[in-house]
Amino acid sequence: MSSDTLAGGGPAARPTPLRGPGRRRARAGLTVLAIVVSVLSIFPVLWLITSALKPREAVTDGKLLPDDVTWENFRYVLTEVAFDRWLWNSFFTAAIITVLALFFHSMAAYALARLRFPGRDGIFVVIFSTLLITPPVILIPLFIVVREMGMLDSYAALIIPAIFNAFGIFLLRQFYLGIPRELEEAAIADGAGYWRIYRSIILPLSRPILSALSVFFFLANWNAFAWPLVATSSENLTVTQVGIASFTTQYGSNWNYILAAAVVAVIPMLMLFLFFQRQMVESIKTSGLK
Amino acid sequence: MLQHGNGAVPARGAPSRRRFLGGTAGAAAATAAAATPLLSGCGGSASADGGTLKFWHFYDPKASDPAMVAQSKWFDQLIKGWNDTHDVKIEPYFVPGVSYQGSKMVTAFAAGAGPDIFLLSPGDFTRYYNGGILADLTPHLDDGVVEDYGTSLTSRTVDGKVYALPMEVEPLAMFYNVPVWEKAGLSEADIPTTWDQLLDTGDKIRSKTGAAGLVFHTDPGYYQNFTWYCWMWQGGGEVVDKAGNVAFDSKGARQALALWQDAVEAGIAPRTLPAADDRITAFTSDLAGMWQIGIWEVQAFKAGAPDHEYGVFKLPVPPGGEYTTTLGGWSFCASTQGANPDAAAEFCGWALGGMSDESIDRTVEWCTGVKSDISPRTSALERGAERGGYDSWAMKTFKEDIFPGGRAEPRYPPIVYKAISDAIQATMLAGKGVDGEADRAAQTIDAFLKSYQGASLI
Amino acid sequence: MTSIATQQARAPGAAAAQAAPAGRRRLGRKGRERLAAALFLLPDGLGLALFVVLPMLLSFLLSFFQVSGFGSYEWIGVGNYERMVNDPYFWSSMGVTAKYVVLMVPTLFVVSLSLGVLMKQMLPGMSVYRTALFLPHMLSLVVVGLLWKFMLDDQTGVVNKAGGELGLGARSWLGDPGLALYAVIAVTVWYYMGYYMIIFLAGLNEIPRELYEAARIDGAGPWTSFRRITWPLLKPTSFFVLIVSTVAAITGTFDLIFVLTDGGPANGTAVAMFYIYQQAFVFGEYGYAAALGSFLVLVMVALSWLIFKATKGGRFDDE
């Protein structure tokens, strides 16, 4: 049973217990259901794309298909503003944050889930409690901390504070709790140290969940706005969402440009998702264990 | 400033506890900072790099709208003019409009890293003044300037001292959409002058064309209050009377609340803004027949829909009422906590507070050259008119019909603002009783005023 | 086993362990495990302490100050908390938050779990559906707000148009205080369902397939195997989703509300976080906002504790 069948949807063996004509009917029903929810989910996004092709005065006309298709919004976004720079800044910061965060979080989660040491639960509770921050409330203190470290208005300000987040540690810990202990015992019997267990057992087993997390982290930082806005002021550090915000002014907003920019900004994310999605839904048990 | 059961107002500009937060954070961060010397980039705080003063504004130098680019250039030229003749240098810094008054500025100020010079809206004046951030500009004004500005300075003055210099005056009026009016069988002769006529006209538009008959601002916020005050004033209503006591629970306030409520309940005024508040689109797509907007929309039409036919008329009046409108507009301010508050204040005075031709022309250029506004200075208004700045029909209507009789946007602190905002929202959109809401707001304001110490609210 | 392990002792960062003094190597198995745990926890521990815990503590400290918003701080003891107790706006915003959480979180949980289970079935075109369901989450909340503002528009919105086709009257989804919160909830569920679906899928994939095969041989139907296998074995994931979505519902929705309704109409969507943001960044009442924020953290701690208790710690095994 390879992971390919899981991701690709081939007609091989599967977990559903149904068999025979009843099963076929049920599958047809489920397929219809899947199509319906997908359409519901995607419709507003389609609407976003077609609206981005409308001239300014038609953006809010409520029609799915534009009367006149114009590429002007995309032309403006791609040529008149430093959109490439914004995208690059977002990409660069999000990529570094994602890689470092995955690495650090999986290490911490491994310790919290698989190692025995005094105060483990206490430390977990403290880490967990950082999940409960109310972001706007810590914005000003965080700004001051980062300023005192001399990092304001630099890539470091965009990257370093964004790495640390209990979400990833918590999710990974929940997954590591489920890994059968025999795997580690066997490795220890083979004489492996903890670093090697982490590298050669835990990390490979986490591939699906790390793939999902890498999409989540990248996405969250790709769309970051509040922190980059206050932490940077140089033009060459502008990230995508902060740049897009400049299309909204005191005296009216160019919704057409905002929509076009949103469409352009979603393309790299879509590619990333498609790239990772096969690994994301792979089964840990089938890929890692025999 | 907004003390509750605690009467102390922080001494203006007292630096005693300012660095407390920075100090604590600094001590804790020091170890880590030392461990990561590679990461410390260039410091970004305006005040930190000493020499140059930062001037924050929200006019995008790279905007798609050529008018905004021209406005941004006006700032550049102004700053260049200063830098060419002064030792202390100034640098412009663009902050996107949505964020200007939001987290960016607040965070920077709270951390002592705010701008040296910035633009302030009237609604925020009291909060900034009471926070001790506004530098006194009076010493840097030429003789006769205060008189030249006249009433446009009233809401920026405390105890005879000027703390902000307005760059523009923006009156509110009713804009109407000619194609929609024609569809509804209406013409210029149908321009309403009373509230009843206003509702009638709106009703005709709604029933005959399906467009929103009459748009009042719907989203809660300072801006909605700003657009509402004039309706209250027209019937003699006040929030705070001349003696400084609450006067909100009055006929004037109640009938203004009722006007908006009636308009919404009759379906004449929409509950949300057509075209998500993009007025140009709402007009060109026949979504709205009338909309209460400010003079700035003249410029927006010129840039966004130069061929679209629209009209402007002054706000209708209630029976026995007297015409007035709210006057908005931003002003220059200098921070007391910047790198060089004196130079910053001097800059504001130099830019907009001189009696020289150069200084007056700056206002003329701003209000009639790169923007479409009423000038806050008599001299500049006359000069702008001489140069044809108010020759177009729209600007002429604004200067001659709409602006006279107008009244500056009040400077109520947050709690007063919020009490009024709640009354407007509850009556307009939640169908709550006008009397009850006016009474409730009056009580909230009254309780607040009892302990309030700070800039006078009249 | 012990001798081999000692021989091959490797702490995290093999090099570090190698370079350690000889004494370190003679640590017992317990000692090595502790050392390893400390080193594994070090990077995240430091980072969280500096960039999350420290700002949290500072903000808690500030809640005892009157902050003018312009860098002046004055100690007022519990003044901000006293003000909170008597602030009707705050309590009404807590009411809105409670309603939002109670309606939104279970809906989101059921929808995304159902989607996860559905997407686990091997249907043709599965990866297309998965992408379609996750696509909304790729947009920024500002764009999502804008998009739905257009779709829910009174005059031109597609929702009212579709309603008109079906003979339903037009409604002001975002302008009617009785509807706006539901509209916000619907948009939130739409935005997050694909996200939590992915998390559920990851959890579902951990469940050994053999269990289902065995259940089938025993004659169990789909519902029985869901109840007997999926649900119990999915507990760590469910626990995670429940906690994270509750926390996100309390702390994370305000930017969407900003775009959609600005807290209106008539405070109908003014959740606590929105009110706190307003106090901090519109009214410049930072100390008061910090007090409200600290109180909210307390509420979340209590809620998490309840969820923790109810799910027995969300642990997979009984350790």
Side-chain angles (χ1 to χ4, degrees), chain A residues 266-284:
Chain A
V266 90
I267 293 170
M269 285 316 310
L270 192 59
M271 282 162 27
L272 186 81
F273 182 81
L274 292 174
F275 178 76
F276 274 111
Q277 88 143 339
R278 170 167 290 201
Q279 283 140 54
M280 258 155 85
V281 293
E282 234 170 47
S283 167
I284 290 181

Side-chain angles (χ1 to χ4, degrees), chain A residues 1-2 5-6 10-16 19 23, chain C residues 122 209 213:
Chain A
M1 217 183 293
S2 86
T5 55
L6 269 168
R14 57 217 19 94
T16 103
R19 286 288 183 270
R23 178 178 163 262
Chain C
M122 289 309 109
R209 198 157 304 165
E213 298 291 333

Side-chain angles (χ1 to χ4, degrees), chain A residues 56-57 60 76 143-144 147-150 152-153 156 160 229 232-233 235 245 248-251 253-255 257, chain B residues 19 21 29 39-42 58 62 64 93 97-99 104 107 111 170 275-276 278-279 281 284-285 296 371:
Chain A
R56 173 174 173 161
E57 64 277 6
T60 55
Y76 174 82
F143 179 87
I144 291 169
R147 187 190 58 182
E148 295 302 312
M149 292 175 72
L152 273 189
D153 206 24
I160 295 173
L229 176 74
T232 64
S233 42
E235 226 171 279
T248 309
T249 73
Q250 300 277 348
Y251 298 106
S253 300
N254 296 308
W255 302 136
Y257 297 149
Chain B
R19 298 290 301 160
L21 190 56
L39 301 169
S40 26
C42 39
F58 46 78
K62 298 199 172 103
S64 60
Y93 175 53
V98 277
S99 334
K104 176 102 183 167
T107 306
E170 302 191 310
D278 183 349
R279 276 89 53 165
T281 301
T284 53
S285 311
W296 59 82
K371 245 186 134 193

Side-chain angles (χ1 to χ4, degrees), chain A residues 1 27 105 116 137 281, chain C residues 33 44 122 127 205 209 286:
Chain A
M1 217 183 293
R27 274 172 55 78
H105 294 351
R116 271 169 267 233
V137 175
V281 293
Chain C
E33 191 162 354
D44 257 357
M122 289 309 109
S127 62
N205 281 331
R209 198 157 304 165
Y286 190 72

Side-chain angles (χ1 to χ4, degrees), chain B residues 128-445:
Chain B
Y128 277 67
Y129 171 82
N130 290 348
I133 200 76
L134 300 182
D136 180 6
L137 306 179
T138 334
H140 306 286
L141 303 180
D142 284 357
D143 286 342
V145 163
V146 172
E147 293 73 23
D148 194 27
Y149 272 98
T151 52
S152 7
L153 277 186
T154 319
S155 64
R156 278 96 174 186
T157 308
V158 182
D159 299 332
K161 288 179 182 164
V162 177
Y163 290 93
L165 274 180
M167 55 203 285
E168 62 202 12
V169 173
E170 302 191 310
L172 290 170
M174 199 59 82
F175 282 63
Y176 67 96
N177 194 357
V178 173
V180 168
W181 274 44
E182 281 169 357
K183 252 202 257 175
L186 297 163
S187 70
E188 229 172 288
D190 298 301
I191 286 177
T193 57
T194 68
W195 286 10
D196 286 344
Q197 288 171 7
L198 179 69
L199 293 177
D200 276 351
T201 315
D203 197 38
K204 274 186 198 139
I205 294 166
R206 180 193 59 87
S207 56
K208 290 191 185 152
T209 69
L214 161 65
V215 183
F216 295 125
H217 199 77
T218 58
D219 296 341
Y222 279 93
Y223 181 79
Q224 188 186 38
N225 283 24
F226 163 64
T227 61
W228 181 82
Y229 292 129
C230 41
W231 303 100
M232 171 185 71
W233 292 334
Q234 290 190 353
E238 291 290 342
V239 175
V240 179
D241 68 15
K242 294 243 164 6
N245 297 316
V246 64
F248 190 72
D249 193 8
S250 63
K251 177 173 166 271
R254 283 195 300 264
Q255 74 180 9
L257 290 174
L259 171 72
W260 283 33
Q261 183 175 53
D262 292 347
V264 167
E265 286 187 351
I268 299 166
R271 292 176 160 274
T272 57
L273 297 166
D277 203 17
D278 183 349
R279 276 89 53 165
I280 301 294
T281 301
F283 270 49
T284 53
S285 311
D286 292 355
L287 296 175
M290 290 186 276
W291 200 318
Q292 186 195 2
I293 333 177
I295 190 170
W296 59 82
E297 206 63 21
V298 174
Q299 178 77 55
F301 271 108
K302 213 153 108 191
D307 301 326
H308 188 78
E309 256 195 281
Y310 69 95
V312 181
F313 59 87
K314 63 182 198 178
L315 303 179
V317 226
E322 197 183 331
Y323 169 75
T324 188
T325 189
T326 325
L327 307 175
W330 292 70
S331 48
F332 278 30
C333 287
S335 162
T336 52
Q337 290 169 7
N340 190 342
D342 251 2
E346 192 192 337
F347 169 80
C348 295
W350 172 86
L352 300 176
M355 282 310 278
S356 65
D357 282 350
E358 201 193 1
S359 183
I360 297 170
D361 279 347
R362 230 170 250 135
T363 306
V364 174
E365 174 64 11
W366 178 255
C367 293
T368 54
V370 297
K371 245 186 134 193
S372 62
D373 280 331
I374 299 293
S375 162
R377 306 180 60 167
T378 317
S379 58
L381 188 62
E382 281 166 7
R383 206 176 280 198
E386 275 166 30
R387 294 186 193 163
Y390 299 97
D391 284 356
S392 76
W393 66 268
M395 292 300 281
K396 199 173 161 145
T397 315
F398 264 105
K399 178 173 177 281
E400 289 171 7
D401 268 9
I402 294 162
F403 169 61
R407 189 171 152 180
E409 177 183 355
R411 53 188 200 195
Y412 301 131
I415 290 187
V416 177
Y417 143 76
K418 180 101 173 107
I420 300 166
S421 172
D422 273 6
I424 299 171
Q425 286 280 315
T427 50
M428 179 187 190
L429 298 169
K432 295 274 168 61
V434 163
D435 294 345
E437 290 302 315
D439 179 52
R440 206 161 62 130
Q443 284 179 21
T444 310
I445 298 167

Side-chain angles (χ1 to χ4, degrees), chain A residues 16-288:
Chain A
T16 103
L18 294 164
R19 286 288 183 270
R23 178 178 163 262
R24 207 166 301 137
R25 225 175 305 130
R27 274 172 55 78
L30 289 175
T31 308
V32 170
L33 184 65
I35 292 172
V36 169
V37 292
S38 302
V39 168
L40 278 177
S41 165
I42 209 169
F43 177 76
V45 185
L46 284 179
W47 195 87
L48 167 76
I49 296 167
T50 59
S51 295
L53 294 169
K54 294 175 186 173
R56 173 174 173 161
E57 64 277 6
V59 163
T60 55
D61 65 6
K63 292 178 187 156
L64 180 61
L65 295 175
D67 293 334
D68 326 291
V69 170
T70 173
W71 293 95
E72 166 56 26
N73 302 331
F74 288 97
R75 189 205 61 78
Y76 174 82
V77 164
L78 294 174
T79 62
E80 299 284 312
V81 294
F83 207 68
D84 48 346
R85 178 82 206 190
W86 303 346
L87 289 175
W88 164 251
N89 284 337
S90 289
F91 179 84
F92 176 71
T93 53
I96 295 190
I97 293 167
T98 305
V99 170
L100 289 178
L102 288 179
F103 184 52
F104 292 162
H105 294 351
S106 59
M107 277 167 59
Y110 167 63
L112 289 171
R114 313 302 306 186
L115 299 181
R116 271 169 267 233
F117 55 96
R120 180 177 68 175
D121 287 347
I123 291 175
F124 174 67
V125 167
V126 170
I127 290 180
F128 171 80
S129 70
T130 64
L131 198 65
L132 308 178
I133 49 159
T134 46
V137 175
I138 71 156
L139 191 59
I140 291 174
L142 179 62
F143 179 87
I144 291 169
V145 168
V146 171
R147 187 190 58 182
E148 295 302 312
M149 292 175 72
M151 301 196 312
L152 273 189
D153 206 24
S154 65
Y155 278 115
L158 289 173
I159 293 169
I160 295 173
I163 296 171
F164 305 102
N165 185 323
F167 175 89
I169 306 175
F170 184 24
L171 181 61
L172 285 166
R173 171 197 181 254
Q174 293 306 101
F175 275 81
Y176 292 165
L177 287 176
I179 295 174
R181 201 158 275 285
E182 303 81 58
L183 279 175
E184 281 164 295
E185 307 277 325
I188 287 167
D190 282 353
Y194 295 105
W195 178 253
R196 221 174 84 197
I197 294 174
Y198 164 74
R199 273 245 349 250
S200 50
I201 299 176
I202 302 294
L203 273 190
L205 278 179
S206 341
R207 225 172 66 195
I209 193 71
L210 287 181
S211 305
L213 272 179
S214 57
V215 170
F216 292 173
F217 287 167
F218 195 91
L219 201 54
N221 292 291
W222 179 255
N223 284 330
F225 173 73
W227 175 246
L229 176 74
V230 301
T232 64
S233 42
S234 304
E235 226 171 279
N236 55 11
L237 290 174
T238 305
V239 298
T240 312
Q241 294 302 329
V242 174
I244 290 177
S246 65
F247 298 147
T248 309
T249 73
Q250 300 277 348
Y251 298 106
S253 300
N254 296 308
W255 302 136
N256 47 332
Y257 297 149
I258 296 178
L259 297 184
V263 171
V264 177
V266 90
I267 293 170
M269 285 316 310
L270 192 59
M271 282 162 27
L272 186 81
F273 182 81
L274 292 174
F275 178 76
F276 274 111
Q277 88 143 339
R278 170 167 290 201
Q279 283 140 54
M280 258 155 85
V281 293
E282 234 170 47
S283 167
I284 290 181
K285 299 294 183 288
T286 50
S287 62

